[in-house]
Amino acid sequence: TLTYVAILESQTLMEAIAKKYNLVELYDEEHIQKAIKTLRGNVDIDVDNEGVVIVSVYDKSPVRAANMANSFVFYLDSLNTLMQTKQAKSNRIFRENRLNQNKTDLSQAEESMKQFQEKYGAIALTEQTEAAIGAAADLEAQIISTEVEIAVQEQYLSKDHTQLSNLKALLRELKNKRNNLRFGNGQAKNGDDLFIPFKDVPEVGLEYIRHFRDVEVQNTLYKLLIEQYELAKLEESRETTSIKVLDKAQPPYRKAKPKRLLIAVFSALTASIIYILIISIWKKQIFLN
């Protein structure tokens, strides 16, 4: 709702209305910026308790007032749809680039693994070791995937937005879990400890585990990124109708302002004050004479 209000009050939309209805000439202004300023004074944009946006336009012509109000909603829908389309496209491109980077990383990891096996042969890992590496790879992939999601959302959301804050909190939690896996005994080790303690594994075995781990991370990450990418493509291709109009503006059957009753009361009050002043002055003149 706040986004709709911001669009309705934006310079872009006001200028579109001013040009459509030739308000420079209609308002007898020197240039369009003054016409827009006058237009702003003739428009009320309110939000009721249920979050419904209400657009009211004041004009000498009832028909034009209704048409202008409907034009505000039309341009709101157009601009909002355009923004959503651009956002969806940018989102898809960002995820596509990250997916392509993942494919490159996966290819390099698999090639390194292949070269190692050609040099040293295959090394058998215990089920416990493979399970630990699989869990660590899944966690690392979730971290990278969350970082990608944060990077996407930061393009459109404010820094203190709830959704962005929740993603950052999730990222901190995932990184804490990774640290617990990496330094399970509370003592910092080598930065490439593969998330699990391997005290007694030979160096060649550690190198193999690193290659195995890298391939697992990139494979798991690929599954997450391809899913996000497919959703982004679907969102981009979807036709959106962003605005639902509850009541279309109709020409009013009576003036909204100026208020005739208030004018009549004010005029009567003013006349009474003037009358009292005249009587007072007249009596004063008689007394002095």
Side-chain angles (χ1 to χ4, degrees):
T1 299
L2 293 178
T3 301
Y4 293 163
V5 172
I7 296 174
L8 287 167
E9 294 178 343
S10 68
Q11 178 74 13
T12 300
L13 196 148
M14 290 288 177
E15 185 172 333
I17 295 292
K19 288 180 178 179
K20 178 178 177 64
Y21 292 94
N22 194 19
L23 296 187
V24 173
E25 180 178 342
L26 183 66
Y27 292 160
D28 193 24
E29 299 288 2
E30 297 177 5
H31 48 76
I32 193 167
Q33 294 305 322
K34 285 192 174 182
I36 291 174
K37 184 177 180 180
T38 302
L39 173 62
R40 290 184 185 277
N42 291 334
V43 177
D44 287 338
I45 300 172
D46 301 305
V47 181
D48 67 12
N49 295 332
E50 297 180 354
V52 177
V53 180
I54 303 170
V55 180
S56 303
V57 179
Y58 301 97
D59 192 87
K60 293 179 179 180
S61 166
V63 174
R64 186 166 56 229
N67 290 339
M68 289 174 69
N70 290 324
S71 293
F72 266 93
V73 178
F74 171 79
Y75 285 125
L76 169 62
D77 183 63
S78 299
L79 288 173
N80 191 57
T81 300
L82 179 62
M83 289 172 60
Q84 289 184 351
T85 301
K86 286 184 176 180
Q87 180 175 335
K89 181 179 180 179
S90 177
N91 182 13
R92 189 264 304 165
I93 292 175
F94 187 94
R95 296 184 190 280
E96 184 176 25
N97 291 337
R98 188 59 186 86
L99 179 61
N100 289 335
Q101 179 63 46
N102 167 252
K103 291 178 181 178
T104 300
D105 294 341
L106 175 58
S107 178
Q108 291 175 350
E110 290 175 335
E111 181 62 27
S112 297
M113 180 78 160
K114 178 183 177 182
Q115 292 176 2
F116 177 88
Q117 289 178 327
E118 288 176 350
K119 183 176 181 180
Y120 296 101
I123 297 178
L125 299 176
T126 65
E127 291 184 5
Q128 182 180 3
T129 300
E130 286 193 12
I133 293 175
D138 183 65
L139 183 58
E140 186 69 15
Q142 288 183 53
I143 289 174
I144 298 173
S145 176
T146 304
E147 289 175 339
V148 171
E149 189 65 29
I150 289 174
V152 170
Q153 299 301 329
E154 281 181 333
Q155 299 179 62
Y156 315 107
L157 302 179
S158 60
K159 293 181 179 180
D160 57 349
H161 195 281
T162 303
Q163 184 175 342
L164 198 54
S165 298
N166 291 339
L167 283 171
K168 290 181 178 179
L170 174 61
L171 181 61
R172 288 193 296 270
E173 180 182 347
L174 292 173
K175 287 185 175 181
N176 286 336
K177 289 183 179 179
R178 180 178 64 182
N179 288 336
N180 290 336
L181 285 175
R182 179 177 293 173
F183 311 121
N185 59 3
Q187 297 177 355
K189 301 178 181 179
N190 187 331
D192 194 22
D193 274 329
L194 313 168
F195 319 137
I196 50 179
F198 294 107
K199 297 179 181 178
D200 303 322
V201 179
E203 185 61 32
V204 173
L206 281 175
E207 186 176 351
Y208 177 78
I209 290 173
R210 291 188 181 100
H211 290 303
F212 185 81
R213 182 270 323 265
D214 291 343
V215 172
E216 285 296 299
V217 168
Q218 295 305 325
N219 267 320
T220 306
L221 179 60
Y222 175 79
K223 295 175 184 177
L224 294 175
L225 292 178
I226 195 66
E227 182 179 349
Q228 293 178 354
Y229 175 60
E230 291 300 327
L231 288 175
K233 287 201 301 182
L234 182 64
E235 187 67 26
E236 182 183 14
S237 62
R238 182 183 302 167
E239 294 184 3
T240 58
T241 53
S242 57
I243 306 300
K244 293 182 179 179
V245 180
L246 297 180
D247 294 302
K248 190 175 181 180
Q250 300 294 334
Y253 60 89
R254 64 179 181 182
K255 290 183 178 181
K257 62 180 183 180
K259 303 293 185 181
R260 291 187 176 181
L261 179 60
L262 291 178
I263 293 175
V265 171
F266 180 76
S267 299
L269 182 61
T270 303
S272 299
I273 293 173
I274 294 174
Y275 174 77
I276 292 171
L277 288 175
I278 293 174
I279 293 297
S280 299
I281 294 173
W282 180 73
K283 288 183 177 179
K284 184 176 181 181
Q285 291 295 330
I286 294 176
F287 178 78
L288 290 175
N289 292 334

